[in-house]
Amino acid sequence: MPSRGAFMDPNGVRWDTNNADFEGVMSKKSRWMGEWRKRYLILKGPKLFFSKDSTSAPHGIIDLVDCISIKSAEKKAKKKYAIEIELKTETSMMVANSEKDVYTWISKISQAIVDYSSIFVPPPPAPVASSNGSVSSRSNSRNSSNVSLSEMADGSVAGAEDDGEEGLLTFDDIVPLAGAA
């Protein structure tokens, strides 16, 4: 694929849009005229660039660092396969070409939001009890287990650890916390 020109933002910063994380065609609703126009979208890191075609330098950008949500918007847009990207200051509407494309774009953009968003903040480490009854903290990084606390029917507190297997908690994952009977 031939290289395309860089995007120049209003502050004079040049953004290279080659070697994208994901790219493809969608229709985008223009901010000023409200018209639907075919655009070539380029997802690279926390930026979603758009241009007239795959070889043109992008003429616009959506900064996903400030993204609040991305969701299906078929009813709101009155168009099949519509997507809404809500930022702190504005909302962008797009229409994919198929149901598969909708899910792929939502998945790719959602991952960029998790990776780069200034709004998404991972939860703090939860306390975990060891076999000797002492309590420590475990980091909730992407590669470690998630732990949640629950009050049991008898009033004791237990931590449930998600070990990542099928995303389900089992009774074997319940760990009594210090002071529990």
Side-chain angles (χ1 to χ4, degrees), residues 14 26 145:
R14 288 177 46 93
M26 281 203 283
S145 307

Side-chain angles (χ1 to χ4, degrees), residues 66-181:
D66 295 327
C67 187
I68 295 170
S69 71
I70 178 169
K71 58 190 172 193
S72 174
E74 290 183 355
K75 287 182 183 176
K76 187 173 183 178
K78 297 179 180 151
K79 289 191 174 276
K80 198 169 184 174
Y81 313 129
I83 299 170
E84 178 183 67
I85 300 175
E86 183 182 359
L87 306 176
K88 289 179 185 177
T89 58
E90 64 185 313
T91 299
S92 293
M93 300 285 277
M94 288 167 235
V95 176
N97 295 320
S98 68
E99 185 176 10
K100 180 184 175 202
D101 287 351
V102 168
Y103 291 118
T104 302
W105 275 109
I106 289 175
S107 174
K108 298 289 185 180
I109 293 170
S110 295
Q111 187 60 55
I113 292 166
V114 170
D115 290 346
Y116 300 101
S117 177
S118 65
I119 295 169
F120 177 79
V121 179
V128 177
S130 67
S131 58
N132 67 8
S134 65
V135 177
S136 64
S137 266
R138 178 180 293 159
S139 169
N140 278 346
S141 72
R142 224 179 277 256
N143 297 324
S144 67
S145 307
N146 290 319
V147 178
S148 61
L149 301 178
S150 301
E151 184 171 343
M152 305 307 284
D154 64 358
S156 65
V157 178
E161 180 177 354
D162 179 0
D163 56 10
E165 293 182 24
E166 301 299 321
L168 300 174
L169 296 177
T170 66
F171 286 108
D172 296 333
D173 294 323
I174 303 296
V175 181
L177 294 180

